[in-house]
């Protein structure tokens, strides 16, 4: 074995030889690449929105408007007039201002309501003209777009000129400082798009993912790339063929800054040994645990920044096996070994011991026992082809190293949710190797008592609910077992009602008035009757005709009442005959 990695000893690993790696000097000239003397805000804006880019938008927008109106002659935008560069700049100025105001709808920016009134929009452009430019805004010719089955098909064909323009401008305007990083960003978008991504760790959570190369100190975006889906073809210039897709993304973004001694920082999505070897920049990145490139990482923990006692025990056992392998190599005459070789031998030893334990457990359960014994292990070794007669001589060798076993950490006792009684040991007639009795709560009936409800509102609601249930049940029972009536004459089956029959009520005495109340009622009735007789005697000659009419009405009412009593319908107030009110004349 090559002498690279120090071997572990019973007291821990040997300290490596520390040395300072060579770090070449940073040779790039960072900073702004143009003269900023006397420039205003609009001048800085025009640095990125150059005249060529504005003319491209004007040309493609007018072209798309002409193509669209030729196909749809009856469109509401048939009075379209070509847009120019000044109007396009006004359009983008209003778009950026909308990002600051953030009204619920675009039309509210032109509203004259006092709550939404923004005069600058009506002063710059009318609403219909803004909507027309927004509808026909384009960056490329749709007639030149390749078909989906074409090998050169590009999902971002319509916005590809925008991506290329800003990537070029970002690199020309500013050169980042020494520390740079590659990460992903999410542009908020909830429209219909095939390659939209959902990233809960990002602020936008749902949108279009961008791979960005940024300066670590200021966050300036030097270059970016749009994620187009899993089947995206990435072929950056001078890229090594051994790199995978995630590594090619880093190469594509960092390629213009190679050979300038930049310090690159990446996360575990991009970090890999082939990428870091191929980059001339000094790279630093995080790695995932149990990575295929680094199999000697510690086992994955159960939580972020936390470990359980079981994980600690597995890690301690793994370290003990590494010490055993190192000691065996030392006995064999090796002074050092590669770390990957030590890890491979440790993995082989762990697999061998795991198989021995599994087979011994199977023999134990086959003989109706719960704990393996030494004969089970001996049978297992014999079945695996090991000569057990050589074990005593090998255990008594003179150059052996005694290694202590890792400390066993007991798992914390989790309180059980159901506890009833105490666990009973096995009786004398049951062998001790049989399983223990289950928890008592599985076969003991545990009485449960709820606390009484003391809330007044809950009690009232419960009593009212019970009363309604009783009334409904009693009504249904009486409707099914007794005689029913109908509310309507024509249909007797729609709303069956309980027949109202005269019967003696046992609690009628409690409802009748008392003797004192009856006496007061008689006195009031007698006084009213005397007044009524006096009035009738005084105006008898004036109301002779009225009295005759009243007699006729009373006879008609008596006849109607006799007819209603003969019928078996319920007393419906809407079907009663109309009573003519009595006319009382003043004295």
């Amino acid at each position: 074995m090559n002498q690279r990695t120090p071997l572990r000893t019973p007291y821990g690993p040997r300290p490596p030889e520390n040395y300072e790696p060579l770090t070449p000097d940073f040779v790039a000239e960072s900073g702004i690449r143009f003269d900023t003397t006397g420039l205003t805000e609009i001048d800085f804006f025009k640095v990125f929105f150059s005249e060529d880019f504005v003319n491209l938008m004007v040309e493609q927008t007018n072209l798309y408007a002409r193509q669209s109106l030729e196909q749809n002659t009856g469109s509401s935008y048939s009075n379209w007039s070509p847009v120019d560069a000044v109007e396009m700049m006004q359009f983008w100025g209003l778009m950026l201002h909308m990002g600051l105001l953030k009204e619920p709808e675009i039309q509210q920016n032109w509203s004259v309501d006092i709550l939404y009134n923004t005069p600058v929009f009506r002063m710059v452009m009318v609403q219909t003209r803004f909507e027309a430019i927004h509808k026909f805004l384009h960056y490329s010719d749709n007639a030149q777009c390749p078909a989906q089955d074409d090998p050169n098909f590009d999902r971002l064909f319509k916005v590809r000129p925008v991506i290329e323009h800003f990537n070029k401008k970002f690199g020309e305007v500013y050169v980042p400082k020494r520390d740079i990083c590659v990460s992903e960003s999410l542009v908020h978008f909830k429209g219909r798009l095939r390659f939209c991504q959902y990233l809960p760790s990002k602020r936008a959570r749902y949108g279009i993912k961008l791979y960005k190369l940024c300066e670590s100190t200021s966050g300036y975006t030097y270059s970016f790339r749009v994620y187009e889906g899993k089947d995206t073809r990435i072929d950056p210039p001078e890229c090594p063929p051994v790199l995978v897709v995630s590594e090619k993304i880093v190469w594509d973004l960092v390629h213009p800054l190679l050979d300038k001694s930049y310090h690159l920082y990446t996360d575990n999505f991009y970090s890999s040994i082939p990428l870091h070897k191929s980059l001339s920049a000094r790279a630093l990145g995080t790695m995932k645990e149990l990575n295929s490139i680094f199999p000697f990482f510690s086992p994955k923990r159960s939580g972020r920044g936390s470990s359980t006692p079981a994980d600690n025990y597995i890690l301690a056992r793994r370290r003990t096996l590494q010490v055993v392998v190192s000691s065996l190599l030392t006995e064999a005459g090796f002074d050092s070994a590669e770390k990957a070789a030590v890890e491979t031998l440790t993995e082989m030893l762990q697999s061998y011991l795991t198989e021995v334990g599994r087979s011994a457990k199977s023999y134990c359960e086959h003989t109706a026992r719960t704990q393996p014994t030494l004969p089970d292990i001996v049978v297992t070794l014999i079945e695996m082809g090991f000569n057990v007669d050589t074990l005593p001589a090998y255990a008594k060798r003179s150059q052996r190293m005694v290694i202590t076993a890792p400390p066993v950490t007991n798992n914390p006792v989790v309180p059980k949710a159901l506890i009833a009684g105490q666990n009973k040991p096995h009786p004398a007639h049951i062998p001790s190797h049989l399983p223990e009795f289950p928890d008592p709560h599985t076969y003991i009936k545990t009485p449960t008592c709820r606390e009484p409800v003391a809330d007044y509102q809950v009690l009232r609601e419960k009593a009212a609910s019970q009363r309604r249930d009783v009334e409904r049940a009693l009504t249904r029972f009486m409707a099914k077992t007794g005689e029913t009536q109908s509310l309507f004459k024509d249909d007797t089956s729609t709303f069956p009602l309980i027949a109202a029959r005269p019967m003696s009520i046992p609690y009628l005495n409690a409802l009748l008035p008392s003797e004192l109340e009856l006496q007061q009622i008689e006195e009031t009735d007698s006084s009213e009757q005397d007044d009524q007789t006096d009035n009738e005697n005084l105006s008898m000659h004036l109301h002779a005709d009225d009295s005759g009419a009243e007699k006729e009405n009373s006879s008609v009412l008596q006849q109607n009442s006799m007819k209603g009593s003969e019928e078996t319908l319920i007393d419906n107030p809407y079907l009663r005959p109309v009573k003519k009110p009595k006319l009382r004349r003043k004295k």
Side-chain angles (χ1 to χ4, degrees):
M1 294 186 181
N2 299 330
Q3 299 180 3
R4 294 182 181 179
T5 303
L7 294 174
R8 288 181 174 269
T9 65
Y11 308 100
R14 297 174 182 174
E17 297 179 0
N18 297 325
Y19 61 92
E20 184 70 20
L22 295 177
T23 304
D25 296 333
F26 180 65
V27 296
E29 297 180 0
S30 60
I32 302 176
R33 303 298 298 274
F34 63 93
D35 187 14
T36 60
T37 306
L39 296 184
T40 60
E41 290 83 355
I42 188 63
D43 295 331
F44 279 100
F45 178 76
K46 290 182 178 179
V47 169
F48 296 96
F49 268 69
S50 60
E51 184 178 355
D52 297 339
F53 182 62
V54 175
N55 293 335
L56 173 66
M57 290 190 292
V58 171
E59 179 184 356
Q60 295 299 329
T61 299
N62 292 328
L63 175 62
Y64 177 69
R66 185 169 61 255
Q67 294 174 351
S68 178
L69 294 177
E70 289 177 356
Q71 297 177 359
N72 187 8
T73 56
S75 174
S76 58
Y77 299 97
S78 57
N79 57 349
W80 161 266
S81 59
V83 65
D84 55 6
V86 176
E87 202 172 14
M88 183 62 70
M89 291 294 289
Q90 292 175 350
F91 171 81
W92 277 105
L94 295 180
M95 288 284 288
L96 295 175
H97 196 50
M98 287 180 186
L100 299 177
L101 297 180
K102 296 182 180 179
E103 298 290 350
E105 296 180 358
I106 296 179
Q107 293 78 7
Q108 291 182 352
N109 293 290
W110 281 267
S111 175
V112 295
D113 192 346
I114 190 174
L115 297 177
Y116 307 103
N117 188 13
T118 309
V120 66
F121 287 91
R122 298 192 298 274
M123 294 170 59
V124 174
M125 187 180 296
V126 296
Q127 179 182 345
T128 54
R129 182 58 175 173
F130 179 87
E131 293 177 351
I133 298 175
H134 187 271
K135 176 179 177 59
F136 296 118
L137 182 65
H138 253 63
Y139 310 99
S140 58
D141 187 4
N142 291 348
Q144 299 179 2
C145 181
Q148 292 189 3
D149 55 353
D150 194 311
N152 297 324
F153 174 71
D154 185 9
R155 292 195 179 101
L156 300 175
F157 174 80
K158 293 187 177 183
V159 293
R160 182 63 66 184
V162 181
I163 298 174
E164 294 178 352
H165 169 76
F166 282 106
N167 265 323
K168 180 181 178 181
K169 281 295 180 182
F170 289 160
E172 293 177 353
V173 170
Y174 183 81
V175 177
K177 297 180 182 179
R178 185 189 65 176
D179 297 334
I180 55 177
C181 65
V182 174
S183 185
E184 60 270 0
S185 179
L186 203 65
V187 179
H188 184 69
F189 181 76
K190 288 189 175 181
R192 297 177 59 183
L193 195 61
R194 180 177 181 180
F195 47 84
C196 274
Q197 291 285 298
Y198 173 70
L199 300 177
S201 60
K202 302 298 181 182
R203 184 177 181 180
R205 292 180 179 269
Y206 195 85
I208 303 173
K209 185 167 68 173
L210 304 179
Y211 300 108
K212 300 170 62 177
L213 174 63
C214 304
E215 186 184 50
S216 300
T217 55
S218 63
Y220 177 81
T221 301
Y222 181 79
S223 60
F224 68 94
R225 184 183 182 91
V226 182
Y227 173 78
E228 305 175 32
K230 294 183 179 180
D231 55 346
T232 305
R233 295 183 300 272
I234 301 177
D235 190 16
E238 302 179 6
C239 179
V242 296
L243 301 184
V244 296
V245 176
S246 61
E247 299 164 357
K248 289 181 179 179
I249 293 172
V250 179
W251 181 275
D252 186 23
L253 297 174
V254 184
H255 180 262
L257 301 179
L258 292 178
D259 301 328
K260 296 181 181 179
S261 302
Y262 274 93
H263 290 190
L264 176 64
Y265 298 89
T266 59
D267 60 7
N268 53 25
F269 179 74
Y270 311 99
S271 299
S272 67
I273 290 180
L275 174 64
H276 289 192
K277 285 184 177 180
S278 59
L279 294 175
S280 59
R282 186 178 183 184
L284 177 64
T286 59
M287 294 296 298
K288 294 182 180 179
E289 293 181 345
L290 297 179
N291 193 292
S292 59
I293 302 176
F294 299 101
F296 45 82
F297 272 18
S298 59
K300 190 173 183 180
R301 297 177 179 177
S302 59
R304 191 172 186 178
S306 61
S307 59
T308 61
D311 294 337
N312 294 334
Y313 177 72
I314 294 174
L315 183 59
R317 185 181 61 182
R318 181 80 175 186
R319 291 175 179 173
T320 303
L321 292 178
Q322 291 176 351
V323 174
V324 171
V325 171
S326 300
S327 62
L328 293 176
L329 292 174
T330 304
E331 292 182 11
F334 294 98
D335 295 332
S336 63
E338 291 185 355
K339 192 171 185 178
V342 175
E343 291 297 329
T344 303
L345 293 175
T346 303
E347 187 68 27
M348 293 174 61
L349 179 60
Q350 183 175 353
S351 301
Y352 186 80
L353 295 177
T354 303
E355 182 64 22
V356 170
R358 188 189 62 80
S359 301
K361 184 70 174 178
S362 300
Y363 285 116
C364 170
E365 294 175 352
H366 183 68
T367 54
R369 287 181 285 108
T370 58
Q371 296 294 333
T373 58
L374 183 59
D376 297 327
I377 299 176
V378 171
V379 173
T380 300
L381 294 176
I382 294 174
E383 290 291 335
M384 296 177 67
F386 188 82
N387 187 6
V388 295
D389 297 335
T390 60
L391 283 177
Y394 184 77
K396 296 178 180 179
R397 67 188 186 279
S398 59
Q399 297 179 356
R400 71 180 186 278
M401 298 180 63
V402 180
I403 301 173
T404 58
V408 179
T409 57
N410 297 325
N411 295 330
V413 179
V414 180
K416 297 181 180 180
L418 299 176
I419 298 177
Q422 296 179 354
N423 293 334
K424 296 181 180 180
H426 285 308
H429 62 278
I430 298 179
S432 59
H433 63 269
L434 293 179
E436 299 179 353
F437 282 110
D439 292 337
H441 73 269
T442 58
Y443 56 87
I444 294 180
K445 183 178 180 180
T446 306
T448 57
C449 299
R450 297 182 179 179
E451 296 183 359
V453 180
D455 190 3
Y456 176 75
Q457 183 177 359
V458 176
L459 293 176
R460 289 292 301 273
E461 293 177 356
K462 185 177 181 180
S465 177
Q466 292 178 353
R467 184 168 62 254
R468 287 194 301 269
D469 295 342
V470 171
E471 291 177 356
R472 291 172 184 171
L474 182 59
T475 304
R476 293 168 184 169
F477 175 76
M478 296 178 65
K480 290 182 178 180
T481 58
E483 186 178 358
T484 59
Q485 294 179 345
S486 177
L487 187 63
F488 305 97
K489 296 181 181 180
D490 300 334
D491 190 0
T492 59
S493 61
T494 303
F495 294 98
L497 304 177
I498 300 173
R501 297 297 182 185
M503 56 181 298
S504 59
I505 303 175
Y507 50 85
L508 185 61
N509 296 330
L511 302 177
L512 295 177
S514 61
E515 296 180 358
L516 181 60
E517 294 177 351
L518 289 174
Q519 186 177 0
Q520 293 177 356
I521 293 173
E522 291 176 358
E523 292 177 358
T524 54
D525 293 341
S526 60
S527 60
E528 292 178 358
Q529 188 175 3
D530 295 339
D531 296 338
Q532 186 176 2
T533 53
D534 294 339
N535 295 331
E536 291 177 356
N537 293 332
L538 291 175
S539 58
M540 184 177 296
H541 62 282
L542 297 175
H543 302 288
D545 297 337
D546 295 340
S547 62
E550 290 177 358
K551 290 180 181 180
E552 292 178 0
N553 291 335
S554 62
S555 62
V556 172
L557 293 175
Q558 288 178 0
Q559 293 177 1
N560 293 334
S561 63
M562 292 294 293
K563 292 180 180 180
S565 60
E566 293 177 358
E567 296 179 357
T568 60
L569 297 176
I570 193 171
D571 187 12
N572 193 340
Y574 297 99
L575 302 178
R576 294 175 184 174
V578 179
K579 295 181 180 181
K580 184 178 180 180
K582 295 181 180 180
L583 298 177
R584 293 185 180 182
R585 298 183 181 275
K586 296 182 179 179
K587 295 180 181 180

